[in-house]
Amino acid sequence: MHLLICDDDARFAARVEQKVRDELAQRGIPAQITVCTRGEEALATPHLELYQVALLDVDLDTMNGISLGRQLRQSSPDIALIYISAYLEFAPEGYTVNAFRYILKRDMERMLPNCLEALFHEKTASGRKVLTIRQNRTEMELPYDSIYCLESDLRKVNVYGDVPHQPLCSYYGKLTDLPAELFENGFLRVRRSDVVNMRYIRQISGYKVTLRNGVELSVSRNGYAAIRATYLEWKGQFSDES
């Protein structure tokens, strides 16, 4: 998960970062967190389209936090905006950008865990399709849109999200046992050992597929033309729908 924190008080921003890291660690969620002290710095963050959550101050030195939220939405339309401010009077303005929550700074330590819990619940319980993984008498459900790719490693399958090289989970199994529904919903096998989520493909060229998080995977040379054609057809359909 990619999260952005922007507050012109560097010490407070560090407190927010640590609190977020603690909450994510308790849930076993790998994260990339970027901390900024200026709105302009936040907007210059590479690959903003990957960010799913932004925790913002409203009263920044050089930019209004509400304006910053609107501009972040241009790069990442589904980003969840959480405002953390010292001033209650800014709360109504925060909701003009459909903010997920508005938290007073004095209540951050107490309120942020509940806010993040509600956010995670909404993201996983919003009716999205999930991949059910059963391992050692336990069951895990991963929403399709949290998965960038699945990689076969001998008798094990590694499932990766937006943080490169850090598996969301690993389980014993084979790619051939993945449900057909997965491939009916935008997943594509690019070689014997890799299945990718087409929504996160940046490009396919030179017998390689590049994902939006920078990961590069080789594409089967024998099937390259068909794989690329499938992706371009899917991309065209997706663009038409949107």
Side-chain angles (χ1 to χ4, degrees):
M1 175 173 281
H2 282 63
L3 301 98
L4 179 69
I5 297 170
C6 187
D7 194 300
D8 49 25
D9 182 339
R11 287 187 296 179
F12 185 80
R15 285 176 55 199
V16 174
E17 179 187 13
Q18 188 58 57
K19 192 67 175 176
V20 170
R21 288 193 184 279
D22 290 345
E23 294 300 315
L24 294 177
Q26 289 180 23
R27 295 166 176 80
I29 301 174
Q32 179 171 314
I33 302 177
T34 299
V35 180
C36 305
T37 56
R38 297 172 64 251
E40 295 82 358
E41 182 185 0
L43 292 173
T45 301
H47 307 303
L48 272 177
E49 71 275 8
L50 297 178
Y51 284 76
Q52 296 136 302
V53 183
L55 300 101
L56 311 174
D57 190 6
V58 178
D59 189 23
L60 297 166
D61 281 342
T62 61
M63 182 181 295
N64 179 279
I66 307 302
S67 173
L68 173 58
R70 288 195 179 96
Q71 293 181 69
L72 290 174
R73 283 254 167 84
Q74 294 177 12
S75 297
S76 182
D78 296 326
I79 195 167
L81 302 175
I82 299 172
Y83 284 101
I84 306 177
S85 174
Y87 305 103
L88 184 62
E89 58 264 31
F90 285 127
E93 189 179 3
Y95 289 106
T96 65
V97 290
N98 195 27
F100 183 78
R101 288 287 191 280
Y102 189 98
I103 299 173
L104 287 174
K105 285 191 172 184
R106 66 170 183 257
D107 298 328
M108 188 274 293
E109 296 283 347
R110 177 173 61 88
M111 297 298 296
L112 187 55
N114 291 336
C115 172
L116 293 174
E117 179 66 30
L119 177 63
F120 298 146
H121 177 75
E122 179 174 292
K123 284 184 172 294
T124 57
S126 59
R128 296 180 298 170
K129 296 181 181 297
V130 298
L131 175 66
T132 301
I133 296 170
R134 297 176 178 86
Q135 182 78 6
N136 297 328
R137 298 182 180 179
T138 62
E139 186 173 288
M140 173 186 294
E141 291 186 341
L142 290 176
Y144 285 177
D145 59 9
S146 72
I147 301 171
Y148 273 54
C149 65
L150 302 98
E151 177 189 55
S152 176
D153 180 14
L154 298 177
R155 292 186 297 169
K156 185 172 66 174
V157 175
N158 297 318
V159 185
Y160 293 94
D162 60 0
V163 180
H165 314 302
Q166 294 185 28
L168 296 172
C169 70
S170 299
Y171 67 95
Y172 287 103
K174 298 181 293 184
L175 294 182
T176 53
D177 294 333
L178 291 172
E181 183 186 68
L182 194 74
F183 299 96
E184 295 166 359
N185 285 273
F187 283 76
L188 176 66
R189 191 162 185 169
V190 296
R191 62 174 178 172
R192 179 175 296 182
S193 59
D194 291 296
V195 169
V196 302
N197 188 340
M198 288 191 283
R199 70 179 294 172
Y200 297 127
I201 291 177
R202 181 176 295 158
Q203 66 176 5
I204 295 180
S205 64
Y207 299 103
K208 288 185 178 179
V209 57
T210 304
L211 302 181
R212 277 176 24 185
N213 59 2
V215 170
E216 286 188 349
L217 301 169
S218 298
V219 179
S220 168
R221 285 183 174 267
N222 291 336
Y224 178 77
I227 289 168
R228 192 168 188 274
T230 299
Y231 167 64
L232 292 176
E233 180 182 1
W234 175 90
K235 184 179 180 182
Q237 292 174 351
F238 187 80
S239 298
D240 292 342
E241 291 175 1
S242 60

